[in-house]
Amino acid sequence: MSKSERPNLLFRNLNAKVASIPMILTAMVVFVGGTVWTVLYSFTNSKLLPRLNFVGLDQYYRLWAAPRWLISIENLLIYGAISLVASLVIGFLLAALLDQKIRFEDTFRTIFLYPFALSFIVTGLVWQWLLNPDFGIQHVVRDLGWTSFSFDPLYNSSIVIYGISIAALWQGTGLIMCLMLAGLRGIDEDIWKAARVDGIPMWRTYLFIVIPMMRPVFITTLVIIASGIVKVYDLVVAQTSGGPGIASEVPAKYVYDYMFFAQNLGQGFAASTMMLLSVVIVIVPWAYLEFGRRK
């Protein structure tokens, strides 16, 4: 085919390009446009309504001087560390156990994954009841005879974030288990046979052979967990509403309260921008690991 007869690249796969126009416009207008709008107005002193009265970095100075914001950041770091490490470890261990071709595997997989089908509001309310000292776990154990037993994390300001983390792990670990199980099922059976023939212990096979081969699964799982950590809101509201006091505040709740209750849009936009920055910190390393090293 001569050069003049070749179809123009602009018109190649024209139907697919036309069909993608709504998605492209949505991404550009809603996501990119909304992000730029939020960052722009974070440099203003907007109150009830947005207005272009720029005050420089004043909103950010107020933000990082607010004890409530600092507490929310500390809680997010604790919650994030627990969710990231515990869900990965527990999810991988459950997946490794299910990968042994045990009986009733489908039943166990359904049981572990079922909490993920619930909303965070339902999960929060269920665990609020379970952790209530008057009729939850503490009450049941004391009725069994251990009268000195104490387990009320949601009512203790120093450990309340750990109580919230328990509910998050209960709901999200099943999804991590399924992702890990899919990765394990993708490992060639010949690798397991070769490891057994060479006499390599199973734990060494997992640690030095299987886990490195599951790198894409781990990267995807880390991104999913990290995105859930940054946007945690409804679980906190359902369990504690940010209490006791402000002990369980998180950034998303801070943004919501300042934008809709305190009627301080500028402060809410500044906090939203900082949350956006945390998302960028997560996405950029992932994009580099996935695409940066490819030719």
Side-chain angles (χ1 to χ4, degrees), residues 92 202-212:
F92 184 81
M202 182 173 290
W203 69 270
R204 290 178 65 91
T205 303
Y206 275 110
L207 190 60
F208 296 106
I209 300 175
V210 173
I211 291 179

Side-chain angles (χ1 to χ4, degrees), residues 102-259:
I102 63 175
R103 295 181 61 185
F104 307 112
E105 176 188 328
D106 293 341
T107 302
F108 285 115
R109 189 167 61 239
T110 301
I111 292 173
F112 291 137
L113 188 59
Y114 174 76
F116 186 73
L118 303 176
S119 70
F120 269 123
I121 294 295
V122 175
T123 298
L125 292 175
V126 168
W127 279 94
Q128 182 192 56
W129 181 84
L130 288 173
L131 299 178
N132 190 299
D134 295 327
F135 45 80
I137 295 174
Q138 175 178 296
H139 177 75
V140 172
V141 174
R142 287 185 176 183
D143 283 348
L144 294 175
W146 288 277
T147 55
S148 61
F149 178 79
S150 178
F151 188 65
D152 55 347
L154 298 185
Y155 298 85
N156 187 333
S157 60
S158 60
I159 60 173
V160 62
I161 193 64
Y162 299 98
I164 295 172
S165 300
I166 292 173
L169 289 174
W170 179 79
Q171 185 187 45
T173 304
L175 175 64
I176 307 304
M177 178 206 69
C178 288
L179 293 173
M180 294 296 177
L181 184 60
L184 289 173
R185 292 288 163 83
I187 303 296
D188 193 341
E189 188 66 28
D190 292 338
I191 294 176
W192 296 103
K193 294 178 181 178
R196 286 193 292 268
V197 170
D198 293 338
I200 301 176
M202 182 173 290
W203 69 270
R204 290 178 65 91
T205 303
Y206 275 110
L207 190 60
F208 296 106
I209 300 175
V210 173
I211 291 179
M213 294 180 66
M214 292 176 58
R215 175 178 165 275
V217 177
F218 275 95
I219 292 176
T220 301
T221 305
L222 286 173
V223 172
I224 292 174
I225 297 174
S227 63
I229 291 170
V230 173
K231 67 181 183 181
V232 61
Y233 168 77
D234 35 10
L235 186 63
V236 174
V237 172
Q239 285 192 272
T240 63
S241 294
I246 57 174
S248 60
E249 282 288 328
V250 289
K253 187 175 183 298
Y254 184 95
V255 171
Y256 185 87
D257 288 349
Y258 266 85
M259 292 184 69

